[in-house]
Amino acid sequence: MVVEAPEPGKLSAILFTGIEAVSRQSWRDEALQQVVREEHASLVRELLPRHGGREVKRLEDGFLLEFEGGLSAVDFGLALQRELETRNGTVAAERRVVLRVGVHVGMVVHRDGDVFGEGVNLAARIEALARPGTLYVSESVARQVEGRLASPPVRLGRGEMKNIRLPVAVYRIDPREHRGRRPFLSRMRSLLSRTPTAN
C-alpha cells in the first residue's frame, strides 16, 4: 500500500469580497446585477497589482484573493472600500457596490491554481459576518497590522464557526477611521529622512 505524502502548505493572507444587495430593485434586475458585478470586478483587478495580490478565482458575487501578508491584504481592502465609497456617491442607489470583506492569515494548500484549507474556510466565514463597507479580520491579521494603522482594529469577540476547530476572535477595521494613512514604508522613509547625519 502506497501512502501519499501530505501536500505542503504555505502561510498566506486570504481575502474574500462579497457584494451586499443594496436594494431590492438591483437584485431583481439580472442585467443590473451583472453591471454591478462587472464594476466590482473592474475595480478589484485595477487595485490588486498595486498591493501585490493574486486573483485566485472570481465567485458569483465576489472574489477569492491571496496576498503574501496581512498588511498587504488590509491595505488592499481599505483602498477598495474607499474607492467604492467615492464611486457610490456618484451613482444611483441601485448601482452602488457595497462589499463585505473578510481577511485571515493561515495555512493554505495550492493545487491547480486554486487554494484550499482551513485558512480559506476561515476567511470565508469572516467575510460572511462582516458589516458592509468595512473589513473584518482574524486575530492573526490583527497582530500583523498592529501599530501600522491609524487606529487599531476593534475586537468584536470570540466565537465558534462552522467547520472550524477552535473558537475564532474577529476584529473590525473601518475605512473611515483610516483616511490619509501613509503606507508603513512611506512613514519609515520620512522618519529616516529627518534623522540628523553625523558631520
Side-chain angles (χ1 to χ4, degrees):
M1 177 178 174
V2 176
V3 178
E4 293 186 1
E7 295 178 85
K10 178 190 174 186
L11 192 65
S12 288
I14 299 297
L15 183 148
F16 274 91
T17 71
I19 299 175
E20 180 81 5
V22 295
S23 71
R24 291 182 179 178
Q25 178 183 350
S26 64
W27 248 233
R28 282 199 303 256
D29 184 332
E30 289 188 10
L32 190 54
Q33 283 183 46
Q34 192 59 28
V35 168
V36 170
R37 288 174 177 136
E38 290 305 320
E39 291 187 0
H40 168 224
S42 177
L43 185 54
V44 165
R45 288 166 175 160
E46 176 187 338
L47 293 175
L48 197 58
R50 304 179 195 175
H51 298 272
R54 178 177 82 90
E55 180 182 332
V56 178
K57 59 184 171 184
R58 183 175 176 179
L59 309 168
E60 184 179 9
D61 289 321
F63 281 86
L64 165 53
L65 309 173
E66 182 180 24
F67 298 81
E68 288 296 319
L71 183 60
S72 297
V74 167
D75 275 344
F76 168 83
L78 289 171
L80 179 62
Q81 293 287 34
R82 283 194 292 260
E83 288 285 343
L84 286 174
E85 184 181 18
T86 299
R87 173 199 170 279
N88 289 342
T90 66
V91 298
E94 63 269 16
R95 283 195 55 186
R96 292 175 186 161
V97 181
V98 181
L99 290 185
R100 300 180 308 274
V101 176
V103 189
H104 173 59
V105 172
M107 296 301 294
V108 300
V109 172
H110 292 83
R111 190 188 312 138
D112 300 326
D114 206 344
V115 291
F116 303 88
E118 191 167 274
V120 177
N121 296 338
L122 184 48
R125 300 280 183 265
I126 292 172
E127 179 267 312
L129 294 173
R131 191 174 74 190
T134 68
L135 284 68
Y136 277 23
V137 306
S138 66
E139 190 162 20
S140 61
V141 177
R143 288 197 200 103
Q144 287 196 4
V145 302
E146 186 177 1
R148 298 185 175 191
L149 299 178
S151 58
V154 176
R155 193 176 192 274
L156 301 177
R158 182 182 293 271
E160 303 284 342
M161 291 190 182
K162 184 178 178 182
N163 296 330
I164 304 299
R165 291 173 295 172
L166 299 172
V168 176
V170 177
Y171 295 72
R172 183 183 71 243
I173 301 175
D174 192 329
R176 290 168 294 187
E177 298 173 1
H178 298 277
R179 295 188 185 282
R181 183 183 79 82
R182 285 184 294 169
F184 177 68
L185 289 177
S186 174
R187 287 186 283 124
M188 288 299 295
R189 291 190 190 103
S190 178
L191 287 170
L192 291 171
S193 69
R194 294 201 298 268
T195 302
T197 55
N199 293 323

